[in-house]
Each structure stands twice: as structure tokens, then as C-alpha cells.
């Protein structure tokens, strides 16, 4: 029988709290945990679209003998603060907070930072310790990630003809230190600047990278940009395994969709 995760609020700076879910290794698994993972969720609405996939993957990893901690970053989900008040540095601090809690609950065991989409950009940093990376559909460039998010407002305004010059206007507002409203989210200048500057570049002690993408095409291959990114990690001494499996882009579909092959490949890769 699958056990339920431990749901709790983790104290954060300024009297705030971060919602966390801890998935302990299955009691059916004998021995020390195979590994421990901190899940770094994607940006804005992609987090909500991906919740079901993340939950199923956490359950599968726990059944395979891994410990997994999910954390809602500042201003996201049920954690303290508003999305518009969060900054990139706040999210980096939350990752450190999650790592400390994971260490407290699971001393030892190989450590993995598991990112989805823009969560990979946040995870790919030097955390002052050996870390392996599990990348799900990684975004390699934060500037492009920001542009894609800003384009959501362009698409919404296009029908009314109000989109002309809107991209430059939004960038000017952010540069002046003022937030902008996009698809129901208030994006603050600090978060926008941090995302824009982020790159999926190797940092810290070299370890393992499991790079997994999904596609509905059977003959899909990595884009040239992603191939270059993989090579950069390999050149820096990281052991990188990249693979594309069958599945929909669940983080962006209109209805909640699943990619079972991605979960199965993830468990196989880490076990």
C-alpha cells in the first residue's frame, strides 16, 4: 500500500512558511535510501499544470527506495507571500532551505536536484556540495524563458489589437522597478531580472545529469541548442545521459495530461 506524504510548513525567513511534502522511501524497500531528491517546480502556471505528474513521480520514486521533498517556493502554491513579491534570491534561499530539511530527514544518500522546465535553471547552481541533477524538459536560457512568459500577455492582447509595442512597454516597466501583470500573475522586477540572467550551465563539483525530455514524435531528437548545452556539461566533467521519451507537454496542455513513460524512465535512471 502506498503511504501518504508528510505535509508540513517549513519555517522561513521573516516569519514566513513554505509548504512541503516529504515522500519517505517505501517500507517495502529494504536498506538505506537509494537517493534523496529535492523537486524544484516550474514557473507560474506551469507549476499547477505539472502537479499531478510531479505527485505521481514522487510516489514512484519513493516506491523505488528514494526520499523526495517537494517545496512550494516563495509566493507559489500555499507558501507565504505573493508571487509578485518573490525574487530569484528568495527562491535560491528556498532551495537551500529544502536541502537542509532533506539532510535532516535523510542523512547521507546521494543527493539529486530535480528541476522541471525553469526549475532546472534554479537548480543548476553551485550549492557548495556534490549534487546530481535530474532535468525534466530543461530550459537552457532564462532570457528566453522570460520572453516566453511575457508573450502570454501579447497573445491575450493580440485579438484587440493592443499588442503593438507591448513587449517593449513591459520590459520598460520592469527595468523601472515596476511589476507587470501577466496571465493572472504579478511579475516583479527582481524575479524577472533573476530569471533573465539564469543559464543552464555546469557549476560546482561534477556529478551525474539525467536529462529527460518528452515528445509526441517517435523520431524526436534534442534541439541543436540543447545538444550544445549537454556537451557543455560533459566538457565540464559531468556524466550526462540525455533521452527523449514519448509523452505530451503536460506543463502547458489545456487539460491535465500525464507522461507515464517519463516517470518510468526517471525511476529506471535513478535506480
Amino acid at each position: 500500500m502506498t503511504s501518504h506524504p508528510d505535509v508540513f510548513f517549513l519555517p522561513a525567513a521573516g516569519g514566513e512558511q513554505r509548504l512541503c511534502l516529504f515522500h519517505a522511501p517505501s517500507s517495502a524497500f529494504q536498506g538505506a535510501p537509494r537517493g534523496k531528491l529535492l523537486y524544484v517546480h516550474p514557473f507560474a502556471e506551469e507549476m499547477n499544470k505539472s502537479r499531478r505528474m510531479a505527485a505521481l513521480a514522487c510516489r514512484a520514486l519513493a516506491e523505488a527506495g528514494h526520499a523526495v521533498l517537494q517545496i512550494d517556493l516563495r509566493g507559489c502554491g500555499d507558501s507565504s507571500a505573493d508571487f509578485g513579491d518573490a525574487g530569484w534570491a528568495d527562491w535560491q534561499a528556498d532551495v537551500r532551505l529544502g536541502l537542509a530539511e532533506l539532510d535532516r530527514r535523510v542523512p547521507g544518500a546521494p543527493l539529486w536536484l530535480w528541476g522541471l522546465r525553469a526549475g532546472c535553471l534554479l537548480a543548476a547552481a553551485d550549492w557548495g556540495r556534490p549534487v546530481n541533477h535530474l532535468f525534466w524538459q530543461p530550459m537552457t536560457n532564462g532570457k528566453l524563458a522570460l520572453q516566453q512568459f511575457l508573450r502570454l500577455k501579447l497573445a491575450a492582447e493580440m485579438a484587440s489589437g493592443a499588442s503593438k509595442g507591448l513587449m517593449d512597454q513591459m520590459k520598460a516597466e520592469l527595468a523601472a522597478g515596476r511589476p507587470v501583470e501577466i496571465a493572472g500573475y504579478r511579475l516583479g522586477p527582481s524575479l524577472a531580472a533573476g530569471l533573465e540572467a539564469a543559464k543552464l550551465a555546469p557549476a560546482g563539483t561534477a556529478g551525474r545529469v539525467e536529462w529527460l525530455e518528452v515528445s509526441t514524435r517517435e523520431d524526436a531528437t534534442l534541439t541543436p541548442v540543447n545538444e550544445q548545452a549537454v556537451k557543455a556539461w560533459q566538457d565540464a566533467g559531468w556524466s550526462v545521459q540525455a533521452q527523449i521519451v514519448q509523452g505530451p507537454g503536460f506543463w502547458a496542455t489545456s487539460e491535465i495530461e500525464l507522461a507515464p513513460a517519463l516517470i518510468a524512465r526517471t525511476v529506471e535512471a535513478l535506480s
Side-chain angles (χ1 to χ4, degrees):
M1 184 175 68
T2 303
S3 60
H4 294 288
D6 179 15
V7 182
F8 62 99
F9 282 100
L10 189 61
E16 294 186 356
Q17 296 178 320
R18 304 290 180 261
L19 178 70
C20 294
L21 285 80
F22 177 71
H23 305 258
S26 169
S27 58
F29 181 80
Q30 301 298 319
R34 284 177 164 174
K36 55 185 179 184
L37 298 90
L38 178 66
Y39 172 64
V40 186
H41 62 68
F43 195 78
E45 191 60 21
E46 291 188 1
M47 180 190 78
N48 295 323
K49 294 284 189 178
S50 305
R51 275 200 185 275
R52 180 62 177 160
M53 267 294 292
L56 291 174
C58 287
R59 184 181 303 170
L61 286 164
E63 289 175 351
H66 299 276
V68 189
L69 181 67
Q70 297 176 263
I71 182 170
D72 283 359
L73 302 173
R74 185 172 194 249
C76 301
D78 290 314
S79 287
S80 299
D82 181 78
F83 187 86
D85 297 326
W88 195 255
D90 295 328
W91 287 2
Q92 290 174 322
D94 287 346
V95 171
R96 294 188 183 93
L97 196 66
L99 290 174
E101 179 65 14
L102 198 53
D103 284 341
R104 187 185 72 80
R105 289 175 177 255
V106 191
L111 174 62
W112 292 80
L113 271 173
W114 165 24
L116 171 57
R117 300 277 288 157
C120 299
L121 293 168
L122 186 61
D126 184 357
W127 301 103
R129 57 187 298 183
V131 172
N132 301 304
H133 289 290
L134 170 61
F135 292 150
W136 273 15
Q137 206 73 25
M139 306 186 84
T140 59
N141 188 306
K143 185 175 183 179
L144 180 59
L146 177 62
Q147 288 177 341
Q148 289 180 357
F149 186 62
L150 295 178
R151 286 195 189 109
L152 293 177
K153 186 157 187 172
L154 291 181
E157 299 291 338
M158 196 168 293
S160 63
S163 62
K164 186 177 180 180
L166 185 57
M167 179 67 81
D168 290 339
Q169 180 184 336
M170 287 188 291
K171 289 182 177 179
E173 288 292 302
L174 291 170
R178 293 186 289 269
V180 294
E181 295 283 344
I182 301 169
Y185 289 85
R186 185 168 62 93
L187 176 64
S190 174
L191 184 55
L195 176 61
E196 186 174 33
K199 294 185 182 300
L200 195 73
T205 304
R208 289 177 58 192
V209 175
E210 294 293 337
W211 182 302
L212 299 175
E213 300 185 22
V214 295
S215 175
T216 55
R217 291 172 43 202
E218 293 185 1
D219 60 344
T221 59
L222 294 182
T223 65
V225 169
N226 286 9
E227 285 183 346
Q228 287 183 344
V230 167
K231 187 177 185 302
W233 283 79
Q234 291 172 332
D235 290 346
W238 293 74
S239 173
V240 185
Q241 297 293 326
Q243 184 177 353
I244 299 178
V245 299
Q246 283 287 108
F250 55 87
W251 58 89
T253 53
S254 56
E255 301 293 333
I256 300 300
E257 294 196 38
L258 304 177
L262 178 60
I263 296 175
R265 178 61 190 128
T266 296
V267 173
E268 180 184 356
L270 270 62
S271 301

